[in-house]
Amino acid sequence: QWFMWKALLDWGEGDFAFRIAKTALDLWKGEVDESYNCFEHFLIESGRGAGWHQFGALSSPVLNWFAAYYVPGHLTTGFDAWVRECNWTSGCRGLDARLEFCGGRRGEAHVLVTLSPGSKYHVAWNGKTARRSVILPGVLQVTIPNDPVGGRLTVRTISSTVI
């Protein structure tokens, strides 16, 4: 699921990527609440964790999915994007980042910008307004061209109250 999730961001399929992450987070939460273990996979029939749980790196996808959607101050890309620079404003209410794409695929990609909730934001790619959607409060899914030239992503607060 981790590899598909990252690839879906590269392919501009952010809604499907969110569905994967949310399903996995919900499954892991249920299992951890029940057993306090983070298993490597889940059985479809029961929804319960199975396999090895003693290997600490199995928690990495869970922690990264959680950070991508629920922890302000995270810029999340797919595999093809390289974050050359990333600067957050105070309180994670704005971002200035420089991205490059190295996968050779043309088209649109999605990046996730996790900001402090409670504000409206303006998003620009190379100085022009970029398409974006709100996935969760404070979480913007930004659509940008998957172009090797890359560019600058800026996010600015336009209001302190969401209407």
Side-chain angles (χ1 to χ4, degrees), residues 70-72 91-93 114-121 136-139 160 162:
Y70 298 99
V71 180
C92 298
R93 295 198 180 279
T114 309
L115 303 137
S116 293
S119 296
K120 288 182 72 178
Y121 294 99
L136 296 166
V139 182
S160 61
V162 176

Side-chain angles (χ1 to χ4, degrees), residues 67-77 86 88 92-97 99 110-116 121 123 132-144 153-156:
Y69 292 103
Y70 298 99
V71 180
H74 280 83
L75 172 62
T76 306
T77 68
C86 182
W88 292 90
C92 298
R93 295 198 180 279
L95 167 73
D96 186 17
L99 305 174
H110 285 150
V111 297
L112 303 173
V113 182
T114 309
L115 303 137
S116 293
Y121 294 99
V123 181
R132 57 110 177 125
S133 58
V134 178
I135 301 297
L136 296 166
V139 182
L140 304 179
Q141 178 178 280
V142 181
T143 304
I144 57 177
L153 176 66
T154 56
V155 181
R156 299 286 177 257

Side-chain angles (χ1 to χ4, degrees), residues 17-69:
F18 177 68
R19 206 166 94 211
I20 288 173
K22 175 134 177 49
T23 300
L25 285 169
D26 290 346
L27 272 171
W28 260 296
K29 181 184 181 326
E31 184 59 41
V32 169
D33 287 349
E34 182 73 26
S35 69
Y36 208 67
N37 290 320
C38 186
F39 287 97
E40 68 179 311
H41 68 275
F42 292 86
L43 301 175
I44 292 172
E45 296 82 12
S46 67
R48 293 298 308 268
W52 194 256
H53 69 85
Q54 292 90 343
F55 180 54
L58 294 174
S59 60
S60 295
V62 179
L63 294 171
N64 284 296
W65 279 321
F66 184 81
Y69 292 103

